[in-house]
Amino acid sequence: MNTGSLAKALDDRLGGAGFLKKAMRKVFPDHWTFLLGEIALYSFVVVLLTGVFLTFFFKPSMEEVLYDGAYAPLRGVEMSQAYASTLEISFEVRGGLLMRQMHHWSTLIFLAAIAVHLLRNFFTGAFRRPRELNWLIGVLLFILVMFNGLFGYSLPDDLLSGAGLRILHGVTVSVPLVGTYVAAFLFGGEFPGEDIISRLFSIHVLLIPGLLLVLIPLHAVVLTWRQTHTQFRAKGLNDRVVRGAPFFPAFLAKTTVFFLWVLGVAALLATFFQINPVWLYGPYLPSTVGAGSQPDWYMGFLEGALRIMPPWEFTVFGQTVAMSVLIPALVAPGLLFAGLFLYPFIERRVTGDTAVHHLLDRPREKPVRTGIGVAGIVYYGVLWAAGGNDLIASTFHISLNATTWIFRVLIIAGPVLGYVVTHRICLGLRDRDRHTAAHGVETGVIVRTPDGAYSEVERPVTEEESAVLTPAREQTPLAR
């Protein structure tokens, strides 16, 4: 059977030729911001490949052993098999340390790319109809990857990750009614228990990656390929016209090279920039906490919320409710992610805009949305910075108590100030664009009239400039 006959036989049984033919012709815009989603996708591929390698050597067990490996300073020290196998990967497995660091760096890149991609979609209005479902999946992906990263760097059972697990245990037991039962199930008894590493390992390599393998193709391929691609305004474009390169061969060639770039950057970071040197921390001991311990950047906002929260608690029916833990661990991230989930529907309800949108907004054209987005960034940024309040106080010789109060004030005043300033800037930029579209572009040429007055020469805007400066609903035949 030749190749043509095989392809026909498969198409008769699977019916994929029509979709494949249409997919090969799908047009992808060339704007650089569309690469942000690809960075996330390819980072995930690197995470999967390096993670498979690491599972061959990692032992997810808390059984105690005496270390007798290649790292001399820890020989004879009692530690868990998880920590001992991590040291073995780092010092005895060929390429093991490179794979560990590539896995960690790729996870950080993955989360950063998701965050920036999400912000680009928010500020440009890419979440509007018909992409609400894709937006919801994207936010869910961010949450899943964030928690999978937390579980992943907890697996080595070193002193730093153990401190993080201690916080996780404290947050879990603080949940009213069910907290102690959930903690006992996860940890296999009282902290630190005997089962947490093996259970986190199952979640980290099976449950969450399985969900990601379903959601990422749905988010990045199925829904994207079924819908018209978003694009920024330009002359000749509208909600029915897309300008760019076809998937095959132009986009396929570019995206393959881009994958190699992402892989290369992760390899270079892993080669030249050390990350998570667990051998320096030592094995976890419940009685020991390292000075200046900091989580990975994406968990910093939860750490900051815990640090600046006042010690509030009250008793109900004989049960103590620790608000100093519940609010930072549940309410603070709950506000952030609930806002992200609900915003597309809130904006549609408030504005009454139920139209289909394939052309993106410029952030300045939506001052309220942009202001809300900046307020959210400030909210996240203040909490993130507060996660290092001890290091800030030590470095700048400020009282730790004063630093904590500064962040308590900023978490309320910062988002409000961010919204007000951003809203005013957007209004000014939008008015400037309207003035330019109506009166022309400043040329920098100053002329003097016979009566002695000075004025600047302005040239009419071109059709290309007018298409960018003026939203379609505001364009007139005269403006075009």
Side-chain angles (χ1 to χ4, degrees):
M1 180 181 292
N2 58 34
T3 305
S5 300
L6 177 61
K8 185 177 185 304
L10 289 174
D11 182 50
D12 290 339
R13 290 157 178 80
L14 302 177
F19 171 78
L20 186 62
K21 183 177 179 181
K22 181 180 178 181
M24 292 298 101
R25 297 199 305 263
K26 183 174 177 64
V27 174
F28 285 80
D30 293 326
H31 199 275
W32 65 269
T33 57
F34 295 111
L35 298 177
L36 297 171
E38 292 183 51
I39 294 175
L41 175 62
Y42 297 144
S43 298
F44 176 62
V45 173
V46 178
V47 168
L48 282 182
L49 295 176
T50 55
V52 169
F53 177 89
L54 294 175
T55 57
F56 294 153
F57 306 98
F58 181 72
K59 299 179 178 64
S61 171
M62 298 183 72
E63 180 183 348
E64 295 294 324
V65 298
L66 286 178
Y67 180 69
D68 189 29
Y71 188 62
L74 289 178
R75 285 178 188 162
V77 175
E78 191 174 20
M79 61 183 65
S80 66
Q81 281 194 348
Y83 186 62
S85 65
T86 304
L87 294 178
E88 179 185 358
I89 292 171
S90 302
F91 294 107
E92 300 177 54
V93 174
R94 180 166 298 187
L97 181 58
L98 178 65
M99 291 295 105
R100 268 196 64 233
Q101 301 214 141
M102 283 187 67
H103 189 71
H104 203 133
W105 274 116
S106 298
T107 300
L108 299 184
I109 296 172
F110 187 19
L111 278 155
I114 291 176
V116 179
H117 178 62
L118 184 146
L119 290 175
R120 197 278 292 181
N121 287 344
F122 179 85
F123 286 117
T124 60
F127 55 80
R128 294 171 297 177
R129 185 183 176 193
R131 296 176 183 82
E132 300 95 336
L133 178 59
N134 230 15
W135 170 263
L136 297 179
I137 293 174
V139 177
L140 179 59
L141 284 172
F142 187 34
I143 297 172
L144 289 174
V145 175
M146 184 180 69
F147 278 103
N148 209 36
L150 168 65
F151 299 153
Y153 81 68
S154 299
L155 290 177
D157 199 29
D158 60 282
L159 186 58
L160 179 62
S161 66
L165 284 177
R166 187 60 165 135
I167 296 174
L168 177 63
H169 180 268
V171 169
T172 305
V173 298
S174 69
V175 178
L177 300 179
V178 300
T180 53
Y181 298 101
V182 174
F185 170 76
L186 282 176
F187 288 84
E190 292 294 327
F191 182 85
E194 298 178 353
D195 300 325
I196 184 63
I197 296 299
S198 59
R199 288 172 179 173
L200 287 184
F201 182 76
S202 298
I203 296 172
H204 180 71
V205 304
L206 292 176
L207 178 59
I208 295 182
L211 294 173
L212 295 180
L213 285 172
V214 173
L215 293 175
I216 288 178
L218 181 63
H219 175 77
V221 180
V222 177
L223 292 179
T224 301
W225 287 64
R226 289 287 299 170
Q227 298 168 350
T228 302
H229 214 299
T230 57
Q231 56 190 333
F232 289 94
R233 288 198 311 271
K235 179 185 176 183
L237 298 184
N238 54 50
D239 285 327
R240 296 176 300 278
V241 177
V242 180
R243 181 183 300 159
F247 175 77
F248 182 83
F251 182 79
L252 182 60
K254 289 192 295 184
T255 198
T256 301
V257 173
F258 197 59
F259 166 70
L260 297 177
W261 270 104
V262 173
L263 177 63
V265 168
L268 287 173
L269 287 172
T271 302
F272 294 106
F273 298 94
Q274 179 174 272
I275 189 169
N276 200 25
V278 294
W279 55 89
L280 298 180
Y281 307 144
Y284 178 65
L285 297 173
S287 60
T288 306
V289 177
S293 297
Q294 302 290 323
D296 280 344
W297 71 265
Y298 50 88
M299 297 302 297
F301 80 106
L302 291 176
E303 175 83 4
L306 286 167
R307 292 191 181 202
I308 67 175
M309 182 66 194
W312 295 345
E313 62 180 40
F314 58 89
T315 302
V316 179
F317 301 116
Q319 299 293 321
T320 300
V321 180
M323 302 304 293
S324 57
V325 178
L326 285 177
I327 291 179
L330 299 180
V331 177
L335 286 174
L336 180 65
F337 290 113
L340 289 173
F341 273 118
L342 297 176
Y343 185 82
F345 309 100
I346 294 174
E347 180 177 290
R348 185 173 64 188
R349 180 66 178 270
V350 171
T351 62
D353 183 4
T354 59
V356 172
H357 294 276
H358 300 309
L359 291 180
L360 299 173
D361 294 325
R362 301 171 78 200
R364 67 185 63 183
E365 295 163 0
K366 302 292 182 180
V368 173
R369 179 202 299 158
T370 304
I372 292 173
V374 172
I377 293 173
V378 174
Y379 171 80
Y380 182 94
V382 170
L383 290 179
W384 180 83
N389 65 341
D390 55 341
L391 296 179
I392 293 173
S394 173
T395 302
F396 296 99
H397 306 290
I398 307 172
S399 164
L400 180 60
N401 187 58
T403 306
T404 302
W405 271 103
I406 289 172
F407 283 117
R408 287 174 179 172
V409 173
L410 284 178
I411 195 59
I412 298 174
V416 175
L417 183 62
Y419 174 85
V420 172
V421 172
T422 302
H423 188 268
R424 294 301 303 171
I425 291 174
C426 288
L427 289 177
L429 291 174
R430 190 178 66 180
D431 291 344
R432 176 71 175 179
D433 286 348
R434 290 174 175 174
H435 179 274
T436 300
H439 300 282
V441 179
E442 298 175 351
T443 63
V445 177
I446 308 298
V447 297
R448 183 179 182 183
T449 61
D451 59 359
Y454 291 91
S455 62
E456 183 175 8
V457 177
E458 295 178 336
R459 64 166 178 81
V461 295
T462 63
E463 293 183 350
E464 291 80 4
E465 291 168 338
S466 178
V468 173
L469 292 173
T470 309
R473 64 182 181 277
E474 296 182 7
Q475 291 183 15
T476 64
L478 185 61
R480 288 195 291 268

